[in-house]
Amino acid sequence: MAQLGEGGGAFAIPGLFPISSLANLQLEGAASEADRLSPFSQESYSSLFFLPQTSFELLRLDVSSDDPLQTSKSLGAEHDGALPFSYGPLEDPQPLDQSSASSNSEEQVPHDDPLEDLWSSRDILEPAVRQLDIKSWEKFHDESFKEPAIPYMSEAGPQVFDAALDHGLSLDVDEATPLHPAPALRPDAVLSSLLQLALGRESLLFRYDEKGRTFQPVLGEFRMSGYTMKCFHGALATFIRYGNQLRQAKGSFREMHSSNKSIAALTALASGTETIITALDIQLSASLASVKTVLQLQALLDPSQTLLHRLSDITEKASQLEDDEDILSILFSCMQNSEGASHMLQTIVEQLLAHCSRPWLDSLEGSLGLRARNVNQLAKAEAGDNQYSSRKMPDFIRSQLAESIQEAEQSLKLLQTHGLDHPLTRSTPSSEPPALQWLFSSPEIEKIQAQAHKYESDVLQALKEYSASGFLTPPQTHRIDDPPQPPSTSSEVQPNPNDVLAQIDCPLPTLFNPAPTPFSRAVAQSLLHPSYSPAEPLVKPPNSLLPTLSFCPLLSAQSRLLSHSTLQLLFHTHHLRSHLRLLHSYTLFANGPFSVRLSHALFDPSLPSAAYQKGRIRSSGNTGLQLGARKMAWPPASSELRIALTGILTESYHGSPEVRDRRERGRDKGELPGDLSFAIRSDLSDIELEACMNKDGLEALDFLKIQYRPPKPLDVIITEGLMEKYDRLSRMLLRGARLQFVVKSLMQHPRKSMLGKKKFKRVVQRFKVEAHHFVMTVFGYFADRVQELWMAFEGRLDGIERSLECYDVGRQIPGVHRLRDLHEEVLDWMLAACLLRKRQELVMRLLEEILCLVLGFARALRDGGDEDGEGEELDKLYEAFRKKVRVFITVCRGLQDQKILAGKGDLYYGVSKGEDRGNGIGRLQQSSIAFRHFTLYYLRRFTMAINGTFASPLADANYPGSLETGTEGFLARIYGGLNGYSLLLTTLLLLVAYDQFKYIWNKGSIVGPAWKMPFIGPFLSSVNPKMDEYKAKWASGDLSCVSVFHKFVVIASSRDMARKVFNSPAFVKPCVVDVAQKLLRPTNWVFLDGRAHVDYRKGLNGLFTRQALQTYLPGQEEVYEKYFAKFLAISQEENNGQPVPFMPMFRELMCAVSCRTFVGHYMSDVAVKKVADDYYKITAALELVNFPIIIPFTRTWYGKKAADMVLNEFSICAAKSKARMKAGGDVTCIMDGWIKSMLDSENYRQKVAKGVKIDESEKPAMLLRIFSDFEIAQTVFTFLFASQDATSSASTWLFQLMADRPEILDRVREENLAVRNGDKNQKFSMDILENMPYTRAVVKETLRYRPPVIMVPYVAKKSFPVTDSYTAPKGSMVIPSVWPALHDPEVYPQPEKFDPERWISGDAEKAVKNWLVFGTGPHYCLGQTYAQLNLMAMIGKASMHLDWKHTVTPLSEDIKVFATIFPMDDCPLVFSKRE
């Protein structure tokens, strides 16, 4: 018993666990299998087994007996009455090389143990056999009930379970077929091997079969102690799968390392995955000590296996790709798919993407001039290769940014080639840019934005200095393209001995312990804290926005800088404008002297011929080709062309005022730029050459062209493709010059022989006149359109040059590509105007046939011959001419009626930016516009002239010799048939006809209904306006129209058209609707112009300053607190938590806030409630479509009564305020502030009149007159009119949008609490409101997403030329629209998405021209700052004190138009108090 006493463990009893009879058999098999499969020794495996296994015979338990442990009969007999185990905690298992029980069954416990008698005592044994009194439900009912005892074997440890498992197997085994149970191995050894297996390594128990490509157990069948075979094998299969997966992944990584592909991203991916695997190996190995079970190990490995699976998927896809961009796209897609996954997976994938992107970003930095280029980049640059194409970019680079990158690279190359030592081609400490890198948090993004802003500011300053120096070469510095210079070895630079010693003492990185990198540290941190989350949640944008937020600030800044510099190089150094004007003057025949001289040299028969004639000396000068009367062969010889055309280009060019001025200043070398000259076309086909040989054919001059070669670097703007377009235009205009000369000659030199014949006199005269009208009209239109488009192009170039003089950070300047596209667009529009597009080929062919008939007519008149036969030929020509002209005009009219309008473009008739650049619908739109303009131009000048002059029906009518008349006179018959009904019907028809005629006349060329419903127009459909109808009207064109009753309405849809209306006070003034002047009074200041309007406005501007707004805040907060309590009462007490439409309550709230701000406490709460209730009637009366006169019991009548009541209340308030301000009261509202300014001005004037000396500081900023109470009431009424409906709409949408987007509401709430230091009861102040950027962004986005006022009516004081082609008639309503500008996808990406971030990290703040929420121009909204701060205060206070839920209905997002816009379901909400 000594061993029992010393060990204190139940399993130290000798003979308790003899070796199982099956253990030796299994061990022998396992050992032989180990010898065969593994290089490890037999001793290595023997230590893994629990060799001294016990026989379960001693522990056969009868759980049905009263003594399940059977201590009374067997244990005492076999062990001398001693217990075979002790109670208490179990000891730890012994080491592997020791047995937990002796294998010698004959070993006995010494009998001289002093504790033997003690353990043999019955007193000691008594507690073991004593039955425990277990309390249970059955025992409570029956005291004699005996609870069945359950033996808990698991308390004895896994070895007892193993022994029981072996015993259970032996009971089920047939003696004829003995079964060898699997040996049970030590848990620590098995767990260690399983970890190595999961990490893809061989271990003592597992090896990798290369043929089968899987791990196999070395010992065959075995299990872990404490687990059944089935349970352990299920877990083992999972670990084998893990190991196979990782093994294959490592193989893929090695293949990537050894691959011959020189792909930087692939190499970085291989090194990155290797770093991740290494860190994962280290982290898992360190965690093994805390693992005790297979389940713990599996839980430890599951996150890493998810990561490994993701890495394997990435490497498998990446190994098949050939480009860095495709590999990075795969990684970015993986990062997006990881959004919402575990913190560890997200972080590692993000860091892997950043690591693999580093080579590509470094290369991008070098290509854009942000860093010095490496050797490979320099080689590609010298070869002229563009490394980046907008079509070959990673998926995370958006198309617009990709185009900017491509353009920036080409711009930098242009600067490096032609820009001498430009600031952007050298690296200076003052312009060191930040690095391009992935950023994953908002603080980092804000930091890079600030750095990019500073970099752009520094470089712009350098560019300004460089420009001021006259673009001279500054002192030579290190250029960004120069290869890195080796360190200096001069003896003058001596190393610091302390630095050398420090370097010696510093430990060097080794192969097995490499120096940590930021990537490896980030990976290790992520693995160390797999579920790490900071105390405060890190603000992180969505993954889809990370590329734009990370790269756009710096790339956009560099693109702007390069665009600015490149355009300066082209415009200022290489004089791009001069070359463009040269092309315009000579290829488009805009130079008058050149066109006249060329026309005479080619066509004038009065000039001497330049052809060779025997006996005559030819000389250059006044000679010509005499195409119109030429009798020699055609085309002329080259010598004849040279003599006839010599000097025309040179003399015309040097005779221009611009060139003469340059020559006088010594800046002109006397050469023609671009080798400008006449040349013979070399690309004509045989058919075209044959056509050129016919001197009377239309193609007679097609062999001649004006040649120009743009010098470098201007060839990036004037490309070969554009020169081909210039050539096509030049050829058409040259044909036009010939035709115009021909028809003029016909009119000046008629054939008297033909005119003398009465039979053909009329035909000849008509043909000549109609041909003259047609040709002059067609080619006059072509020339006018070409000139008009070129002037629009010149206007854009002027704007670009003006922008180059500004050096403002963030200023958008079109780059070289955009300038080239603009150049191409104007040429495309010219081609369309001249009917030279491919889509217009059939129409051009018809026009050519008509022109050929004109030339044939001229030839027939010139040649003469048989007059009778000639007359018949002329008659046929004339009939064919008239027929084809009718067809031509019909085609033009047909395309005009289609009303296919082009989209908004950069030129006056510009091309839409998203338009098809081929022969698709975009060019068809151009064609239709060209036809539409031609039709208007031609029909007025040509058709009317023909019909009115020579083709009048009266001229061809044959009248009878006499007319038969009745006995009654003509007038008598008319008056005799009249009666009351017919007179009324006739009058009605005449009025209808006049109404239609007036509408069509006012409509002109803009979009609108073809006809108007008599008198009322679309009044019935406008009573309940639909938002979709407004959108359709805006989409129909930049200008559209409608006529309701007597009012003609012009709607300006585009941003530019709306701004033009806003900024044209000389032509328009605010009008609202006809009844508005009756409600607001005609003398109201908003209807005044000039000095009267200024008198009001100069006194009102000071009422909305920062200091004034601070004064109004207490009153506003008082109203909010009152109405928020009312919101809670309505939701919780009156409606028991059920949703209620809150739009009417928001209207009442905004009315109360406005009244408190405008008139303070001069108006009682009862009066405020009365105004809020009745103001709805005013809104209804001021709708756009309403009865123009006030009829009792109509909406206008009720609105007039409500307006009178409001004006009366405000007049009373004005009188009270005057009395209080005269008594020296404090300013608490807008009315107080305005009246105090009046009184101060009056006091100043009185002192001046009395001769009192007044210090200049006492003079009021604005001298105001004393306004009457009613004038003050009218003005305050306009404030209420401007704010009530607009703020009611904005507040309704704001509460709905916040309820539907709780994540945005949470950010608003957090910001409002943070700026108040957590005290939600802190009062409003301007400092608080001005330090809430996110709340401001939410308000601005609400006003953009759902602008309260979608249209602002104006009336034309006189005829208003809105465009060059349309003038709005006097008295018409001209309505600029706000919605299209605020939903322009080119300015606000995804305009139908509510995204406040666009105002923080996007470019929305820069789009000031589109921000038309408060109008622009002289009548812009005075209270725009007040309105935004008011909404910020409201939603901020509500977010801290209230919770609200929105019940979404099918009508929630539909828009109801009622003066402003509201949700169709009136915003059902439920408010509750926020604790």
Side-chain angles (χ1 to χ4, degrees):
M1 298 298 291
Q3 291 183 2
L4 180 62
E6 294 172 0
F11 301 104
I13 301 175
L16 181 60
F17 292 101
I19 299 176
S20 170
S21 60
L22 301 176
N24 292 330
L25 296 176
Q26 181 65 19
L27 181 59
E28 292 174 2
S32 61
E33 182 71 10
D35 292 338
R36 183 177 66 83
L37 295 178
S38 176
F40 298 105
S41 63
Q42 171 69 27
E43 289 77 6
S44 301
Y45 288 99
S46 61
S47 63
L48 299 175
F49 297 96
F50 285 112
L51 296 181
Q53 299 184 16
T54 182
S55 173
F56 200 69
E57 294 294 333
L58 299 178
L59 295 178
R60 290 181 179 175
L61 306 178
D62 186 3
V63 296
S64 62
S65 65
D66 294 338
D67 185 10
L69 296 179
Q70 299 181 0
T71 56
S72 60
K73 62 177 182 178
S74 60
L75 294 178
E78 295 185 13
H79 294 279
D80 299 330
L83 287 173
F85 55 88
S86 62
Y87 293 99
L90 301 178
E91 290 186 347
D92 293 335
Q94 296 181 6
L96 290 175
D97 56 351
Q98 298 179 6
S99 174
S100 59
S102 177
S103 59
N104 186 4
S105 59
E106 296 179 358
E107 183 178 353
Q108 301 292 330
V109 179
H111 293 281
D112 58 351
D113 190 343
L115 297 178
E116 179 180 7
D117 296 338
L118 176 65
W119 284 97
S120 301
S121 172
R122 282 291 177 185
D123 297 335
I124 297 301
L125 291 177
E126 189 65 29
V129 299
R130 186 173 55 131
Q131 297 296 324
L132 297 177
D133 188 13
I134 301 176
K135 301 297 183 180
S136 66
W137 184 255
E138 290 79 3
K139 189 75 174 179
F140 178 79
H141 286 284
D142 185 7
E143 294 183 358
S144 62
F145 179 80
K146 294 182 179 181
E147 297 285 351
I150 301 176
Y152 293 95
M153 294 185 301
S154 58
E155 299 294 338
Q159 294 172 342
V160 175
F161 177 78
D162 294 338
L165 189 64
D166 289 342
H167 173 70
L169 289 175
S170 64
L171 294 177
D172 297 334
V173 173
D174 188 3
E175 295 181 359
T177 57
L179 176 64
H180 302 288
L185 306 187
R186 289 176 45 183
D188 54 350
V190 175
L191 290 175
S192 176
S193 296
L194 289 177
L195 177 61
Q196 299 300 320
L197 171 62
L199 293 177
R201 303 173 183 168
E202 292 187 342
S203 62
L204 197 65
L205 297 179
F206 304 97
R207 73 173 183 84
Y208 188 74
D209 184 4
E210 295 292 346
K211 293 182 179 180
R213 299 178 62 85
T214 183
F215 279 93
Q216 292 182 350
V218 174
L219 301 179
E221 294 291 337
F222 68 91
R223 62 182 177 85
M224 179 177 168
S225 178
Y227 291 84
T228 64
M229 198 68 181
K230 182 177 180 181
C231 176
F232 179 73
H233 273 215
L236 180 60
T238 301
F239 291 114
I240 291 177
R241 186 176 69 254
Y242 288 171
N244 294 338
Q245 180 182 357
L246 185 56
R247 187 88 173 196
Q248 294 171 7
K250 289 182 177 179
S252 301
F253 304 154
R254 286 193 296 270
E255 290 177 2
M256 285 194 295
H257 272 299
S258 60
S259 174
N260 295 327
K261 298 180 180 178
S262 58
I263 305 175
L266 193 63
T267 304
L269 178 60
S271 63
T273 50
E274 185 177 0
T275 301
I276 294 173
I277 296 301
T278 302
L280 190 63
D281 194 340
I282 295 173
Q283 182 64 29
L284 292 177
S285 300
S287 303
L288 182 63
S290 61
V291 175
K292 300 299 183 182
T293 66
V294 175
L295 289 178
Q296 286 181 324
L297 181 60
Q298 190 168 355
L300 179 66
L301 290 172
D302 278 342
S304 61
Q305 292 306 315
T306 303
L307 174 62
L308 291 175
H309 177 74
R310 190 66 58 90
L311 292 179
S312 300
D313 185 54
I314 292 174
T315 54
E316 180 181 358
K317 294 178 180 178
S319 60
Q320 302 173 3
L321 302 176
E322 301 293 335
D323 297 314
D324 290 335
E325 293 78 8
D326 294 336
I327 294 174
L328 296 181
S329 298
I330 292 295
L331 287 167
F332 179 68
S333 176
C334 179
M335 185 187 75
Q336 286 186 303
N337 295 335
S338 301
E339 193 166 15
S342 66
H343 172 76
M344 180 194 73
L345 181 60
Q346 289 187 66
T347 305
I348 290 181
V349 173
E350 289 171 357
Q351 295 300 326
L352 182 61
L353 174 59
H355 176 72
C356 296
S357 301
R358 190 67 264 162
W360 188 81
L361 293 176
D362 290 341
S363 176
L364 180 61
E365 288 177 338
S367 298
L368 300 186
L370 296 170
R371 296 288 183 275
R373 295 187 178 185
N374 55 35
V375 178
N376 293 333
Q377 291 174 334
L378 289 174
K380 290 183 178 180
E382 292 175 359
D385 297 335
N386 290 327
Q387 188 172 356
Y388 297 96
S389 170
S390 59
R391 298 182 180 179
K392 189 61 178 177
M393 286 281 180
D395 290 345
F396 54 78
I397 300 296
R398 296 185 177 180
S399 58
Q400 186 176 0
L401 184 59
E403 292 176 0
S404 299
I405 292 173
Q406 180 181 357
E407 182 174 350
E409 182 187 16
Q410 296 179 1
S411 299
L412 180 63
K413 186 181 299 182
L414 201 66
L415 285 177
Q416 292 166 348
T417 306
H418 304 280
L420 299 178
D421 197 16
H422 193 275
L424 284 173
T425 61
R426 63 181 188 270
S427 178
T428 60
S430 61
S431 61
E432 184 67 24
L436 277 177
Q437 57 184 337
W438 281 92
L439 305 173
F440 302 104
S441 66
S442 292
E444 293 176 335
I445 293 171
E446 293 174 359
K447 182 178 179 181
I448 194 64
Q449 289 174 347
Q451 292 175 343
H453 185 277
K454 183 179 183 303
Y455 166 69
E456 186 176 4
S457 177
D458 294 342
V459 176
L460 281 174
Q461 183 62 31
L463 291 178
K464 188 174 182 180
E465 296 172 358
Y466 178 73
S467 176
S469 65
F471 303 99
L472 299 177
T473 305
Q476 186 68 26
T477 58
H478 171 66
R479 293 172 60 89
I480 62 175
D481 288 336
D482 294 338
Q485 298 295 328
S488 175
T489 58
S490 173
S491 59
E492 296 178 0
V493 181
Q494 299 294 336
N496 188 346
N498 295 330
D499 295 341
V500 175
L501 292 175
Q503 293 178 4
I504 294 175
D505 294 337
C506 181
L508 297 176
T510 63
L511 178 64
F512 299 100
N513 295 291
T517 63
F519 173 67
S520 62
R521 286 194 294 268
V523 171
Q525 180 69 16
S526 301
L527 294 174
L528 185 62
H529 302 286
S531 59
Y532 172 76
S533 61
E536 295 184 3
L538 190 63
V539 179
K540 178 185 174 186
N543 287 344
S544 59
L545 296 180
L546 288 178
T548 302
L549 299 177
S550 300
F551 306 135
C552 259
L554 183 57
L555 292 179
S556 298
Q558 186 71 356
S559 177
R560 288 192 295 268
L561 293 172
L562 288 170
S563 297
H564 190 282
S565 302
T566 308
L567 291 181
Q568 278 190 332
L569 176 72
L570 295 176
F571 278 90
H572 298 160
T573 306
H574 294 275
H575 309 292
L576 173 64
R577 296 290 294 274
S578 298
H579 286 262
L580 291 174
R581 293 192 186 105
L582 185 76
L583 290 171
H584 176 231
S585 298
Y586 298 104
T587 61
L588 301 181
F589 299 97
N591 186 297
F594 166 73
S595 301
V596 172
R597 289 197 59 183
L598 179 62
S599 179
H600 280 283
L602 293 175
F603 315 121
D604 192 351
S606 63
L607 292 178
S609 175
Y612 171 76
Q613 295 181 10
K614 187 176 182 180
R616 186 171 69 89
I617 299 175
R618 296 181 296 174
S619 62
S620 59
N622 293 328
T623 58
L625 301 179
Q626 299 179 338
L627 179 58
R630 187 180 183 89
K631 296 181 180 180
M632 290 171 286
W634 188 265
S638 59
S639 59
E640 183 180 356
L641 280 173
R642 184 172 59 253
I643 292 173
L645 302 179
T646 296
I648 294 179
L649 278 172
T650 305
E651 295 172 8
S652 300
Y653 174 73
H654 291 294
S656 63
E658 181 182 356
V659 176
R660 283 201 306 267
D661 181 62
R662 289 206 306 267
R663 186 167 58 249
E664 291 174 359
R665 290 182 291 175
R667 296 184 179 181
D668 188 73
K669 300 180 180 179
E671 300 176 355
L672 291 178
D675 296 330
L676 188 68
S677 62
F678 289 103
I680 305 297
R681 300 183 192 276
S682 58
D683 56 348
L684 295 176
S685 63
D686 294 339
I687 299 177
E688 291 173 332
L689 284 174
E690 185 177 355
C692 289
M693 297 177 68
N694 180 13
K695 63 181 179 181
D696 295 316
L698 185 63
E699 302 85 1
L701 289 173
D702 286 356
F703 67 90
L704 184 65
K705 74 173 183 178
I706 298 177
Q707 181 173 278
Y708 169 82
R709 295 184 181 91
K712 292 183 177 299
L714 300 183
D715 55 350
V716 300
I717 304 297
I718 309 172
T719 62
E720 293 183 2
L722 298 186
M723 286 306 305
E724 292 179 0
K725 295 182 179 182
Y726 274 110
D727 186 48
R728 293 173 60 192
L729 289 167
S730 177
R731 179 163 50 182
M732 170 55 71
L733 295 176
L734 187 58
R735 289 181 178 182
R738 180 190 177 192
L739 266 296
Q740 288 175 336
F741 190 90
V742 168
V743 297
K744 288 179 181 179
S745 299
L746 291 176
M747 298 297 293
Q748 295 171 2
H749 304 286
R751 276 197 64 192
K752 296 182 180 179
S753 59
M754 292 302 299
L755 291 176
K757 286 189 173 290
K758 186 176 181 180
K759 179 179 180 182
F760 303 111
K761 180 178 179 179
R762 180 179 297 176
V763 173
V764 172
Q765 187 67 14
R766 285 184 175 182
F767 203 156
K768 291 196 313 184
V769 173
E770 294 180 13
H772 181 273
H773 275 291
F774 183 84
V775 170
M776 298 303 291
T777 302
V778 169
F779 287 101
Y781 165 75
F782 288 171
D784 290 347
R785 288 291 292 146
V786 168
Q787 181 66 17
E788 181 184 357
L789 290 167
W790 186 267
M791 294 308 296
F793 180 53
E794 286 277 358
R796 288 304 305 274
L797 295 180
D798 291 338
I800 293 174
E801 280 201 288
R802 287 194 298 270
S803 66
L804 293 179
E805 299 173 359
C806 299
Y807 293 86
D808 299 334
V809 176
R811 186 179 183 87
Q812 294 294 336
I813 297 178
V816 175
H817 283 208
R818 186 69 199 108
L819 181 58
R820 182 174 61 246
D821 292 343
L822 192 64
H823 190 194
E824 184 178 5
E825 286 169 8
V826 71
L827 292 178
D828 288 341
W829 277 97
M830 289 178 182
L831 291 172
C834 296
L835 308 180
L836 294 176
R837 299 298 298 172
K838 189 173 182 180
R839 286 276 183 176
Q840 302 164 327
E841 185 176 359
L842 295 177
V843 185
M844 173 52 68
R845 191 178 303 167
L846 177 61
L847 179 60
E848 289 176 349
E849 292 175 359
I850 297 173
L851 299 179
C852 287
L853 291 174
V854 175
L855 291 175
F857 171 73
R859 178 189 56 77
L861 288 183
R862 183 191 67 210
D863 293 346
D866 181 14
E867 294 182 353
D868 292 336
E870 183 183 2
E872 293 178 358
E873 180 185 354
L874 291 176
D875 198 18
K876 292 179 181 178
L877 287 174
Y878 178 60
E879 290 299 326
F881 173 79
R882 295 199 65 180
K883 180 179 179 182
K884 292 184 181 296
V885 168
R886 289 195 195 98
V887 174
F888 184 76
I889 295 176
T890 302
V891 171
C892 294
R893 281 175 170 167
L895 289 176
Q896 177 192 359
D897 292 339
Q898 290 180 11
K899 296 184 178 63
I900 304 176
L901 300 178
K904 179 180 66 178
D906 289 319
L907 295 169
Y908 180 68
Y909 296 114
V911 184
S912 176
K913 293 181 180 178
E915 192 176 281
D916 179 18
R917 301 199 56 83
N919 295 316
I921 188 62
R923 299 308 174 194
L924 181 60
Q925 290 174 349
Q926 291 182 352
S927 305
S928 64
I929 290 182
F931 282 128
R932 181 163 60 91
H933 283 276
F934 172 75
T935 303
L936 296 175
Y937 189 91
Y938 177 75
L939 291 180
R940 292 174 184 174
R941 293 183 53 186
F942 175 65
T943 310
M944 292 176 61
I946 293 175
N947 291 337
T949 308
F950 299 101
S952 172
L954 296 178
D956 295 329
N958 295 320
Y959 295 98
S962 61
L963 296 174
E964 295 183 0
T965 60
T967 57
E968 296 182 353
F970 178 71
L971 294 178
R973 289 202 305 270
I974 293 178
Y975 287 116
L978 286 178
N979 55 46
Y981 293 106
S982 60
L983 183 61
L984 180 62
L985 180 60
T986 302
T987 304
L988 180 62
L989 291 176
L990 289 174
L991 291 175
V992 170
Y994 172 76
D995 190 50
Q996 294 297 325
F997 173 78
K998 184 179 179 181
Y999 166 71
I1000 295 173
W1001 179 267
N1002 290 336
K1003 174 178 176 292
S1005 60
I1006 64 176
V1007 180
W1011 62 282
K1012 171 189 175 183
M1013 182 178 291
F1015 307 121
I1016 66 173
F1019 169 74
L1020 297 178
S1021 61
S1022 301
V1023 172
N1024 185 21
K1026 301 293 191 299
M1027 190 65 184
D1028 292 340
E1029 296 175 356
Y1030 283 119
K1031 291 181 179 179
K1033 181 68 71 175
W1034 295 327
S1036 65
D1038 290 353
L1039 290 176
S1040 57
C1041 68
V1042 69
S1043 180
V1044 182
F1045 291 116
H1046 66 293
K1047 186 63 68 177
F1048 182 74
V1049 182
V1050 179
I1051 300 174
S1053 301
S1054 67
R1055 179 201 69 184
D1056 295 335
M1057 289 292 101
R1059 290 185 65 86
K1060 184 169 185 178
V1061 176
F1062 280 127
N1063 290 284
S1064 299
F1067 294 97
V1068 296
K1069 65 177 181 179
C1071 73
V1072 194
V1073 291
D1074 287 342
V1075 76
Q1077 291 196 6
K1078 298 180 177 66
L1079 270 65
L1080 302 178
R1081 301 300 192 271
T1083 57
N1084 198 300
W1085 73 288
V1086 295
F1087 302 125
L1088 302 179
D1089 285 323
R1091 180 63 181 272
H1093 181 82
V1094 173
D1095 284 343
Y1096 276 92
R1097 197 172 188 91
K1098 68 181 183 181
L1100 299 177
N1101 287 329
L1103 303 178
F1104 296 95
T1105 62
R1106 185 182 188 278
Q1107 182 180 1
L1109 294 176
Q1110 175 71 44
T1111 307
Y1112 314 144
L1113 290 178
Q1116 295 173 13
E1117 188 161 19
E1118 174 189 339
V1119 175
Y1120 286 135
E1121 291 174 351
K1122 174 183 176 181
Y1123 272 84
F1124 287 168
K1126 184 180 292 187
F1127 289 176
L1128 292 174
I1130 292 174
S1131 293
Q1132 303 301 327
E1133 299 175 9
E1134 299 178 14
N1135 293 278
N1136 299 322
Q1138 297 300 314
V1140 179
F1142 262 85
M1143 188 270 284
M1145 286 305 303
F1146 291 140
R1147 289 181 61 89
E1148 183 178 333
L1149 167 64
M1150 288 296 104
C1151 184
V1153 172
S1154 297
C1155 289
R1156 189 66 70 230
T1157 304
F1158 300 156
V1159 300
H1161 288 275
Y1162 300 126
M1163 182 181 289
S1164 64
D1165 293 343
V1166 176
V1168 170
K1169 182 67 167 62
K1170 175 65 174 174
V1171 171
D1173 292 341
D1174 287 359
Y1175 196 87
Y1176 188 87
K1177 301 175 183 177
I1178 300 176
T1179 302
L1182 292 174
E1183 282 192 292
L1184 184 61
V1185 179
N1186 224 323
F1187 283 103
I1189 59 176
I1190 297 180
I1191 302 174
F1193 307 107
T1194 61
R1195 288 190 295 183
T1196 55
W1197 185 74
Y1198 287 113
K1200 179 66 166 57
K1201 291 175 66 67
D1204 293 343
M1205 181 271 295
V1206 174
L1207 286 171
N1208 182 61
E1209 289 289 341
F1210 284 165
S1211 297
I1212 297 173
C1213 294
K1216 294 179 180 178
S1217 177
K1218 283 183 178 180
R1220 184 168 174 272
M1221 289 299 102
K1222 287 180 180 179
D1226 295 331
V1227 174
T1228 60
C1229 61
I1230 286 179
M1231 184 177 285
D1232 284 347
W1234 192 22
I1235 291 177
K1236 187 176 186 303
S1237 298
M1238 299 178 202
L1239 297 177
D1240 291 343
S1241 299
E1242 182 65 20
N1243 292 335
Y1244 176 79
R1245 280 192 293 266
Q1246 291 177 359
K1247 291 180 180 180
V1248 171
K1250 295 177 181 178
V1252 178
K1253 187 176 181 181
I1254 304 174
D1255 188 78
E1256 189 65 23
S1257 61
E1258 298 180 9
K1259 181 180 179 180
M1262 290 291 178
L1263 290 177
L1264 309 179
R1265 68 178 176 89
I1266 297 294
F1267 292 92
S1268 67
D1269 295 346
F1270 192 72
E1271 287 177 325
I1272 296 173
Q1274 285 180 319
T1275 304
V1276 175
F1277 189 19
T1278 59
F1279 290 165
L1280 183 63
F1281 168 73
S1283 65
Q1284 170 60 20
D1285 291 310
T1287 54
S1288 298
S1289 169
S1291 59
T1292 304
W1293 286 111
L1294 190 54
F1295 273 97
Q1296 176 170 311
L1297 291 169
M1298 293 299 95
D1300 294 342
R1301 294 160 178 82
E1303 70 282 358
I1304 296 179
L1305 178 59
D1306 289 342
R1307 288 189 61 180
V1308 170
R1309 182 179 293 117
E1310 291 171 5
E1311 183 180 62
N1312 276 267
L1313 288 173
V1315 78
R1316 292 173 170 85
N1317 297 320
D1319 182 8
K1320 67 179 182 180
N1321 296 316
Q1322 185 175 347
K1323 298 299 182 182
F1324 289 150
S1325 70
M1326 290 300 295
D1327 291 334
I1328 288 178
L1329 295 177
E1330 289 172 350
N1331 285 281
M1332 297 193 299
Y1334 189 77
T1335 306
R1336 178 182 294 274
V1338 168
V1339 170
K1340 295 197 72 171
E1341 179 65 2
T1342 302
L1343 296 175
R1344 184 208 64 82
Y1345 180 67
R1346 290 291 184 264
V1349 180
I1350 57 178
M1351 294 185 295
V1352 183
Y1354 283 74
V1355 65
K1357 300 186 291 185
K1358 55 185 177 181
S1359 295
F1360 178 23
V1362 186
T1363 68
D1364 290 349
S1365 61
Y1366 181 75
T1367 299
K1370 177 183 178 181
S1372 61
M1373 290 182 67
V1374 185
I1375 303 180
S1377 303
V1378 172
W1379 181 283
L1382 296 171
H1383 289 76
D1384 187 350
E1386 297 178 3
V1387 179
Y1388 304 106
Q1390 296 181 315
E1392 297 305 325
K1393 177 183 178 183
F1394 183 82
D1395 182 16
E1397 287 294 334
R1398 73 172 82 241
W1399 298 96
I1400 298 175
S1401 56
D1403 295 332
E1405 288 286 0
K1406 300 177 183 178
V1408 292
K1409 287 189 175 182
N1410 285 67
W1411 182 247
L1412 299 179
V1413 174
F1414 300 98
T1416 185
H1419 289 279
Y1420 76 94
C1421 179
L1422 279 174
Q1424 56 180 317
T1425 303
Y1426 156 74
Q1428 295 180 68
L1429 292 177
N1430 185 16
L1431 293 172
M1432 290 171 60
M1434 177 194 69
I1435 197 64
K1437 189 172 186 66
S1439 67
M1440 296 184 297
H1441 292 271
L1442 299 175
D1443 284 326
W1444 64 93
K1445 294 182 180 179
H1446 174 231
T1447 302
V1448 180
T1449 70
L1451 301 177
S1452 293
E1453 290 299 323
D1454 291 346
I1455 297 175
K1456 174 174 62 177
V1457 182
F1458 181 71
T1460 53
I1461 61 174
F1462 294 92
M1464 191 68 76
D1465 60 359
D1466 289 342
C1467 190
L1469 297 174
V1470 176
F1471 282 91
S1472 59
K1473 188 174 182 180
R1474 182 173 181 82
E1475 300 297 338

